[in-house]
Amino acid sequence: MIRLLYIVLLLVVAPVASLASEDDLFQSYTHNDRPYLAYFPEGEARGLVFAFHGRGGSQRYVINPGTILISETLAKAGYAIVSPQSTLRGRDGEMGAGWDTLQSDVKKNPDLQRMYALYDDLVERDLVSVETPVFTMGMSNGGGMSVFFGIAAAHRGIPVAAIANYMGSLPASGQDFINDGGPIPPMFTVIAENDGLVSGDNQLAALEFVEGRGVKVETYIGRERPVTVEGLIGAGATVEGAISLTKTLLKADMIDERGTRLYKPGEVIGREDGPTLRGVGRKAKIDRATNLAWTKLWAMHYMRDDYLPQQLAFFGEARADFLSQKETSTK
């Protein structure tokens, strides 16, 4: 059933000398000739979070707008964070760099091979232990990978406590591990109402299937809101950016005086709309914070941090449940 709902060796870890620091917390490393950004707390980590970038992205996903607040908050709460880079790079037709979430055979999936090797290496270097609860999170193709790898890793015996999926698919290939008797970790999912790349209806149907298997599922749907100066600032925009963007959208007849969308009203916003929206952003000379706020208000396909409190609580509860179940099973 879930197939019909598809939407979408060990090297020593060493810091990359030319990129000693990516921001205040995250450092650059390499493994198997592949870069990753990571933060490891002093002492025992509360959990290990693997953060997966979307199509065309890189290991910098963890410090990108929309993600950085989440990743820094998790890091400061005591979680280790590892943001790897997919094996496929460059261009592959129109798809570009991304994660292989189609192939459940580990021998044929280089991403699973690399992720298992990276996890084993982190354990061998005592950066985390085999007892450390593991979490996954990602956006778009990375959201699909967070689900796929979360299920695959749990099937392998890695202690996956929870999955956070932002606007990604529930890959049908994960069903292979489920059919083989593998566990399904709890899922935290964020869907965007106007997402023109990943179908929200298909996501909800797939989540209903998973929930029917007894899995804890927590779902949030980002709804469209008017684009006003106040709304943009409330969503994280700068004052200057909010004023400039609303003026530009009004002049272009893309919103009315109340901030209601006049551009393709009632329709999803897809990849084909990118050039138009980027052109508006350039004309308004908006900053990244304002652009992110705009994507939130129009509920577009983009990583967002306004569900951070809910994700943090979900991870905390999943961690407590995971440790409690483990303690019970050892008695």
Side-chain angles (χ1 to χ4, degrees):
M1 174 180 178
I2 198 169
R3 291 188 182 278
L4 298 177
L5 302 175
Y6 172 66
I7 326 163
V8 137
L9 206 93
L10 297 175
L11 298 179
V12 174
V13 176
V16 179
S18 62
L19 292 173
S21 179
E22 289 287 353
D23 84 338
D24 291 340
L25 287 174
F26 296 92
Q27 301 293 318
S28 292
Y29 300 86
T30 58
H31 178 264
N32 266 357
D33 295 323
R34 187 71 58 196
Y36 69 93
L37 292 186
Y39 165 79
F40 300 104
E42 294 184 8
E44 184 177 355
R46 183 172 178 80
L48 167 63
V49 181
F50 283 114
F52 297 104
H53 64 76
R55 184 72 63 184
S58 72
Q59 74 280 8
R60 292 181 61 83
Y61 162 71
V62 76
I63 58 172
N64 284 346
T67 312
I68 184 62
L69 180 60
I70 300 173
S71 54
E72 285 189 340
T73 300
L74 287 168
K76 290 174 182 178
Y79 291 84
I81 318 286
V82 173
S83 184
Q85 185 187 78
S86 64
T87 302
L88 175 65
R89 310 309 301 164
R91 302 297 300 176
D92 177 25
E94 293 300 316
M95 300 305 287
W99 301 97
D100 183 353
T101 61
L102 301 177
Q103 181 54 257
S104 60
D105 186 344
V106 178
K107 294 180 181 178
K108 298 179 181 179
N109 190 320
D111 282 326
L112 282 183
Q113 293 173 25
R114 287 181 180 276
M115 287 305 305
Y116 289 159
L118 175 57
Y119 173 76
D120 290 344
D121 192 57
L122 296 176
V123 172
E124 288 181 13
R125 291 176 59 80
D126 292 324
L127 293 169
V128 295
S129 77
V130 293
E131 307 294 328
T132 305
V134 174
F135 302 82
T136 65
M137 64 174 281
M139 159 69 191
S140 192
N141 170 243
M145 184 61 177
S146 72
V147 176
F148 177 65
F149 176 73
I151 294 174
H155 181 266
R156 185 178 184 250
I158 294 174
V160 181
I163 292 166
N165 173 11
Y166 284 79
M167 285 157 266
S169 67
L170 276 75
S173 51
Q175 179 73 12
D176 294 337
F177 299 107
I178 297 172
N179 289 341
D180 199 30
I184 313 175
M187 294 186 188
F188 175 91
T189 305
V190 175
I191 296 170
E193 181 180 31
N194 294 326
D195 189 341
L197 278 70
V198 178
S199 168
D201 289 341
N202 286 352
Q203 286 174 290
L204 290 171
L207 287 168
E208 184 178 356
F209 168 82
V210 171
E211 196 168 19
R213 300 291 291 263
V215 178
K216 179 180 179 181
V217 173
E218 191 168 301
T219 305
Y220 294 90
I221 302 177
R223 302 292 185 184
E224 181 177 340
R225 291 173 282 164
V227 174
T228 63
V229 172
E230 296 82 1
L232 285 166
I233 294 173
T238 62
V239 174
E240 297 80 4
I243 293 172
S244 179
L245 178 59
T246 52
K247 283 183 177 179
T248 303
L249 290 172
L250 275 166
K251 190 172 182 179
D253 291 324
M254 295 177 74
I255 61 172
D256 64 17
E257 293 290 341
R258 293 175 175 270
T260 303
R261 177 163 62 114
L262 300 179
Y263 173 75
K264 300 177 68 172
E267 297 183 37
V268 298
I269 300 172
R271 186 175 283 111
E272 69 279 4
D273 299 299
T276 298
L277 301 185
R278 286 192 293 272
V280 170
R282 285 193 294 269
K283 189 170 184 179
K285 298 180 180 179
I286 58 174
D287 52 84
R288 285 187 169 186
T290 302
N291 185 67
L292 177 59
W294 183 17
T295 66
K296 292 177 185 176
L297 294 186
W298 271 7
M300 293 185 271
H301 184 84
Y302 201 87
M303 186 65 190
R304 52 194 298 165
D305 54 23
D306 46 336
Y307 293 99
L308 167 58
Q310 292 90 334
Q311 181 186 334
L312 192 65
F314 189 85
F315 275 15
E317 292 171 5
R319 179 181 182 276
D321 290 343
F322 183 85
L323 294 176
S324 176
Q325 292 171 9
K326 183 177 179 181
E327 182 179 351
T328 301
S329 66
T330 57
K331 288 183 178 179

